[in-house]
Amino acid sequence: MTEERKKQVDFALPYMKVSLGVVSPKTALITDVKQLEGKTLIVTKGTTAETYFEKNHPEVKLQKYDQYSDAYQALLDGRGDAFSTDNTEVLAWAIENKGFEVGITSLGDPDTIAPAVQKGNTELLNYINEEIEKLGKENFFHQAYEKTLHPTYGDAAKADDLVVEGGKVD
């Protein structure tokens, strides 16, 4: 959910929270944003990572790619020192790509992920919100995390760090 996207759609209650993460080679692990000064950070154009680093860390040299696949390939090829995007994505990628690790698991303000409906479709929006609240009482999103995401993330992430129950962000 971003302010720009809110101009185009109406968002329902969130079901997940996400922030930026930074993945880098284990041999030159980036664990603090200060370590990126004078280094090249790979980002994908039009993402929250690009916006965040341009606004908050102009001292970091950004290497921008149109596609995520190109950005990850650039990291694999050593064309940059690290890559930043949603923490959920870099955590899973690092598990699949030996020799890489997420040294920064949460950077910037956390955002939420929520369903979107066509602007003005209040009937559908209200229905989705009611369902999210009802599912929250059943602990549905934590159960879904354990079944679907925990096998991917293992101990690299915790459900409470990523899941929102009943649309209420802690």
Side-chain angles (χ1 to χ4, degrees):
M1 293 174 55
T2 65
E3 291 306 313
E4 191 163 318
R5 290 177 186 148
K6 286 179 184 177
K7 294 174 187 172
Q8 299 172 354
V9 297
D10 289 330
F11 283 102
L13 294 170
Y15 60 89
M16 207 166 169
K17 48 191 168 180
V18 65
S19 59
L20 294 175
V22 177
V23 62
S24 54
K26 286 182 180 180
T27 56
L29 189 62
I30 303 291
T31 59
D32 188 294
V33 73
K34 292 175 187 158
Q35 293 174 284
L36 290 168
E37 192 170 338
K39 299 216 163 109
T40 300
L41 179 67
I42 298 165
V43 296
T44 306
K45 292 178 186 175
T47 62
T48 53
E50 178 187 31
T51 305
Y52 174 82
F53 279 96
E54 284 178 343
K55 181 179 176 185
N56 298 294
H57 295 284
E59 73 281 4
V60 176
K61 180 184 172 197
L62 299 182
Q63 189 175 94
K64 302 175 184 183
Y65 291 88
D66 291 322
Q67 305 291 326
Y68 281 96
S69 57
D70 294 337
Y72 280 119
Q73 190 59 52
L75 182 61
L76 287 166
D77 294 346
R79 288 180 266 158
D81 299 290
F83 176 52
S84 181
T85 192
D86 291 354
N87 59 356
T88 53
E89 190 172 324
V90 291
L91 285 164
W93 187 86
I95 290 167
E96 294 293 316
N97 290 272
K98 302 300 177 216
F100 292 89
E101 187 174 328
V102 178
I104 301 174
T105 58
S106 182
L107 186 62
D109 294 329
D111 289 317
T112 54
I113 297 175
V117 301
Q118 183 177 21
K119 208 136 193 58
N121 190 343
T122 54
E123 185 178 343
L124 181 57
L125 183 66
N126 291 338
Y127 172 79
I128 292 170
N129 284 338
E130 289 169 12
E131 288 300 308
I132 288 173
E133 288 172 344
K134 185 167 64 172
L135 291 170
K137 292 174 184 166
E138 300 169 14
N139 215 30
F140 172 83
F141 293 102
H142 275 78
Q143 291 173 29
Y145 176 92
E146 290 303 321
K147 284 183 186 173
T148 61
L149 296 177
H150 185 262
T152 299
Y153 295 131
D155 294 334
K158 293 180 178 69
D160 287 340
D161 294 337
L162 302 176
V163 173
V164 174
E165 287 291 356
K168 296 182 181 105
V169 180
D170 293 335

